[in-house]
Amino acid sequence: MEATTTSQPKTISPPISPTFRISGGRRFSNDTSVAYILPSDQDEVKRLKLNHDLWKELMNGLFKSDMHEQLTKGIRVLDVGCGPGWWTLDMAALYPNSQFIGIDMADVFVAQDLPSNVTFEQMNAGTGLEFDDASFDFVFQRFLVMGLSVEQYSSSVTEMKRILKPGGAIEILELINDYSNASPAFARIGSWIHQAMSARGLDSFIADKVSSVLETAGFKNITDVNYDVPIGPWGDESGEMFLSIQKLALPAVKVMVTELTDTTVEEYDKTEEQAYKEALSHQVSTRFRLIYATK
Ligand SMILES: C[S@@+](CC[C@H](N)C(=O)[O-])C[C@H]1O[C@@H](n2cnc3c(N)ncnc32)[C@H](O)[C@@H]1O
């Protein structure tokens, strides 16, 4: 199931349109129906690639649902909030008989050497999925905790169920915004991010509720897997990799933290620098949950 993507394909360099604004040198959605607090720009595209590579290692593959045989034969797969499309592209290369559609509210999709079994489309998952009932076999959604408000998260699950065929599979991987065994600087940053997320109606702990959201929506055979990912050298290679990702994630979230809370840029910068030092002496980690089920 493992795929290797060594080269970095070019992505679309998005023009500045009224739907995006620049703040703190980063590009953000300007759409009032989008709650997302992270930037949509080329720096973020790079961070998401590293994150994708880390998760391929941690999961020893790209998904856990029992879909390998169907994917090999040829099915329709949707990646909700796909970002540049790193997961979609690896999946499409592994399963050339299947059709992959990636949707995202931001136009940051990989544009170079797009395989014929991949389509990307700009769409706001928070306001509904523009697809027919029962038109997909497998739907996947990863790291939308900072993008979908509590209500949007539930309605996205309901929409994913609607567009799935009976017996189809859903798989959701989500981060919990609450550093475990947090050192002082990580604890402060975690709480600032939590405040910024709350200001946008986002729930730091939505991952802990996804199983029950799926149950309420009527999904069956729900499996919920917990991951605790170390930050820093105490977690060996993946810990080092996750620390490198933090070094891109903390600057990415800074703009909205300083816009949506009382935290000043100076305070944030000092704490961020301190957090990287503490990652070398503390055993800080982040929890994630992978939830998969069938319709
Ligand atoms: C943290 S990134 C994860 C990207 C991708 N799923 C991955 O794992 O690499 C979150 C993505 O969700 C997208 N997003 C946020 N809010 C969204 C919405 N309302 N509708 C569609 N996409 C959204 C963002 O543009 C971003 O690309």
Side-chain angles (χ1 to χ4, degrees):
M1 222 198 299
E2 197 66 27
T4 45
T5 312
T6 44
S7 63
Q8 290 258 350
K10 282 203 184 85
T11 55
I12 297 169
S13 273
I16 303 305
S17 69
T19 34
F20 289 93
R21 69 187 171 98
I22 300 291
S23 183
R26 307 296 299 260
R27 194 182 79 131
F28 292 89
S29 170
N30 217 10
D31 180 337
T32 50
S33 64
V34 169
Y36 196 46
I37 62 164
L38 290 173
S40 306
D41 55 23
Q42 291 305 309
D43 284 350
E44 189 61 1
V45 166
K46 286 181 202 135
R47 181 184 77 83
L48 292 173
K49 177 66 170 71
L50 286 181
N51 210 33
H52 173 66
D53 291 343
L54 172 66
W55 277 95
K56 273 199 294 188
E57 288 294 320
L58 293 174
M59 286 175 61
N60 192 27
L62 292 162
F63 61 91
K64 290 287 181 202
S65 299
D66 183 17
M67 294 301 283
H68 174 69
E69 271 182 34
Q70 290 190 53
L71 283 158
T72 305
K73 280 184 198 146
I75 56 173
R76 270 169 60 85
V77 183
L78 179 68
D79 183 1
V80 178
C82 65
W86 302 124
W87 184 86
T88 291
L89 290 167
D90 271 358
M91 287 291 286
L94 275 179
Y95 298 109
N97 293 332
S98 286
Q99 290 297 320
F100 294 86
I101 299 171
I103 61 145
D104 201 285
M105 63 84 187
D107 50 356
V108 288
F109 311 117
V110 168
Q112 195 187 38
D113 301 328
L114 215 55
S116 60
N117 60 336
V118 169
T119 313
F120 291 126
E121 212 177 308
Q122 237 180 313
M123 196 184 291
N124 182 352
T127 53
L129 298 173
E130 295 156 34
F131 299 105
D132 291 340
D133 295 0
S135 53
F136 286 90
D137 303 274
F138 186 16
V139 291
F140 182 80
Q141 183 180 285
R142 191 170 70 173
F143 308 135
L144 266 286
V145 58
M146 296 192 186
L148 296 176
S149 68
V150 178
E151 295 73 28
Q152 288 178 335
Y153 213 101
S154 294
S155 67
S156 174
V157 165
T158 310
E159 278 289 89
M160 286 193 271
K161 178 151 184 260
R162 180 184 63 75
I163 63 170
L164 264 181
K165 295 177 188 167
I170 184 169
E171 184 154 339
I172 296 177
L173 176 58
E174 206 50 273
L175 162 147
I176 291 134
N177 169 49
D178 182 34
Y179 294 106
S180 306
N181 195 25
S183 63
F186 272 105
R188 289 185 84 192
I189 291 178
S191 119
W192 291 336
I193 298 172
H194 178 76
Q195 286 171 44
M197 288 177 65
S198 300
R200 281 280 174 101
L202 303 161
D203 181 354
S204 291
F205 296 93
I206 197 82
D208 290 331
K209 296 157 194 160
V210 170
S211 270
S212 62
V213 172
L214 292 190
E215 206 176 334
T216 307
F219 281 99
K220 294 179 275 192
N221 308 310
I222 301 169
T223 306
D224 194 340
V225 187
N226 282 276
Y227 290 85
D228 197 9
V229 185
I231 302 172
W234 76 279
D236 301 324
E237 205 181 317
S238 56
E240 295 278 18
M241 206 164 158
F242 197 32
L243 176 57
S244 305
I245 293 165
Q246 290 291 314
K247 289 182 179 176
L248 301 173
L250 297 190
V253 82
K254 165 180 150 179
V255 179
M256 291 304 264
V257 162
T258 52
E259 278 190 14
L260 295 168
T261 75
D262 293 334
T263 315
T264 63
V265 170
E266 294 70 28
E267 210 178 351
Y268 190 97
D269 287 346
K270 222 171 105 197
T271 311
E272 185 192 333
E273 204 177 304
Q274 188 58 29
Y276 302 143
K277 286 187 191 139
E278 290 173 3
L280 307 178
S281 54
H282 291 64
Q283 298 197 340
V284 185
S285 60
T286 295
R287 282 196 304 124
F288 292 82
R289 281 174 101 136
L290 173 76
I291 305 100
Y292 54 101
T294 55
K295 176 171 169 179

